[in-house]
Amino acid sequence: MTVSLEQLRRCHIAVDLGAARTRVFVKGAGLVVDEPSAAAVNTRTGALIAVGQFAEQMTGRTPGYIRVVRPVSGGTVVDIEMAQRMLRHLLGEKLRRTLRRKPRLRAAACTPHDADPLAQRAAVETMVGLGARRVELVDTLIAAAVGCGLPVERPEATMILVCGAATTQVAVLSMGSIVTAERIPVGGEAIDHAIVQHLRHQHELMLPSQSVRPLQLALSGNGLTPHGPESTEIHGRDVATGLARSVHVDTAAVRDAIHTPLTAVLDGIGKVLRDCPPDLVADLADRGIMMVGGSARLPGLDQMLRDATGMPVEIAERPDVCAVLGLGAMLEGKIQPLVLDPLSG
């Protein structure tokens, strides 16, 4: 899965098939697609009705014969044909025509750390379906580190935490490679699920599928810390009667509910630090952790990590698009490899 910068410079298009959103970077044009990884299908005819943002809005609001599917799960393509159709529609006819003019189209794609050969093959097949003659796979951790401006090619430790929808990946990088890394099967979706379960058990309230994110944001800027608002009003459906109902939810109880999945993330960080050489850990005491990924914006998560690790924690400027921007920087030759001259004699 290691790929040289020289090979990446020959690529024309970079794709980050994330669990929650799909992003496409075209050399010379920049970021052209940033849409939810969702497609609405008519089950009677097999026709594609909508993709991206519109399909996401249709979730839970469609008649029985229309199904909203997610061809990507946990950063891995689970339905290759649907992923190809979704990507084709997201790119649009004009951009596809431009790409078709390239005689030997090369593509680069992000894959999660330690992705198994089947997951790697699925990513390659998806890009081949778009007309790519050659596909280069890049570890999401390296792409995200490059995208948020970390000096990955230097012989110094940098620690990155990629907070995705389905998984959280944490790694220590040095000299352009991963020294030690861990993939934790807990992400933004697990936090959403913990909140949904809490409301169902404690308040007998079912939430519409679109309303968990506003609940997290209602935890305010202090989010996971005790300084947030004491309660917030949530609208949903009563489990017993099926009628619409609103309740005032104690935010301290919500914080307790989401601590369980977040503890798994802290365990993963601890394991990576234990497996890391002492010299690199000493570097990290000053540099700290860089957070990227859509779930990095969860209010108060950075403060919780600071308290638990005692290390500085920073959130990248544009955490959700770091991986695809990192791939784009490699495509456009903005990253210079560290050249080691062999000692003569």
Side-chain angles (χ1 to χ4, degrees), residues 110-124:
C110 280
T111 51
H113 180 66
D114 274 351
D116 58 61
L118 276 175
Q120 292 182 30
R121 187 179 174 85
V124 171

Side-chain angles (χ1 to χ4, degrees), residues 17-20 37 70-79 83 112 119 165-167 183 189:
L17 288 165
S37 304
R70 296 182 182 277
V72 185
S73 172
T76 303
V77 178
V78 289
D79 184 341
T167 58
R183 191 169 161 206
E189 288 168 1

Side-chain angles (χ1 to χ4, degrees), residues 12-15 22-26 29-35 51-52 83-100 105 107 126-127 129-132:
H12 307 99
I13 182 171
V15 178
T22 295
R23 300 177 178 95
V24 180
F25 185 101
V26 174
L31 188 64
V32 292
V33 173
D34 183 2
E35 294 271 350
V51 292
Q84 289 172 348
R85 290 173 72 186
M86 181 185 77
L87 266 174
R88 276 198 287 271
H89 280 78
L90 287 174
L91 282 170
E93 186 60 42
K94 187 181 173 188
L95 191 53
R96 287 211 315 276
R97 209 178 298 128
T98 311
L99 293 173
R100 273 201 297 267
L105 181 67
T126 304
M127 301 313 296
L130 284 180

Side-chain angles (χ1 to χ4, degrees), residues 50-72:
V51 292
Q53 189 67 48
F54 189 37
E56 176 93 336
Q57 288 167 356
M58 290 165 75
T59 307
R61 295 185 166 94
T62 58
Y65 66 91
I66 295 176
R67 197 159 57 96
V68 178
V69 294
R70 296 182 182 277
V72 185

Side-chain angles (χ1 to χ4, degrees), residues 156-342:
E156 300 165 8
T158 50
M159 190 171 196
I160 188 158
L161 186 73
V162 181
C163 310
T167 58
T168 299
Q169 301 170 69
V170 57
V172 174
L173 310 171
S174 181
M175 294 185 69
S177 298
I178 294 169
V179 178
T180 172
E182 190 72 21
R183 191 169 161 206
I184 308 141
V186 167
E189 288 168 1
I191 293 167
D192 290 349
H193 183 69
I195 295 173
V196 167
Q197 291 302 311
H198 167 75
L199 291 172
R200 189 176 184 127
H201 294 145
Q202 299 299 319
H203 300 277
E204 295 184 345
L205 194 75
M206 281 180 73
L207 280 187
S209 57
Q210 309 275 324
S211 73
V212 181
R213 289 287 159 189
L215 173 63
Q216 289 182 8
L217 297 175
L219 294 173
S220 93
N222 294 316
L224 303 173
T225 62
H227 308 299
E230 285 186 15
S231 69
T232 184
E233 191 177 12
I234 303 294
H235 304 281
R237 191 180 81 187
D238 192 285
V239 173
T241 64
L243 298 174
R245 182 162 71 92
S246 61
V247 292
H248 282 276
V249 178
D250 182 20
T251 46
V254 173
R255 283 196 294 273
D256 290 342
I258 62 179
H259 260 284
T260 309
L262 291 175
T263 307
V265 175
L266 293 174
D267 290 345
I269 293 172
K271 187 175 187 308
V272 166
L273 290 172
R274 283 195 298 276
D275 295 346
C276 196
D279 293 345
L280 293 179
V281 176
D283 285 354
L284 293 174
D286 304 325
R287 289 179 168 275
I289 305 170
M290 177 65 82
M291 291 172 65
V292 301
S295 302
R297 287 203 177 108
L298 183 65
L301 179 56
D302 52 338
Q303 189 57 49
M304 180 186 163
L305 291 176
R306 270 187 215 106
D307 297 342
T309 60
M311 289 158 62
V313 177
E314 265 187 90
I315 300 175
E317 195 177 331
R318 295 175 69 190
D320 44 350
V321 292
C322 277
V324 75
L325 291 181
L327 267 185
M330 293 183 206
L331 259 62
E332 294 183 334
K334 292 177 181 171
I335 306 302
Q336 293 304 316
L338 179 70
V339 180
L340 298 174
D341 292 321

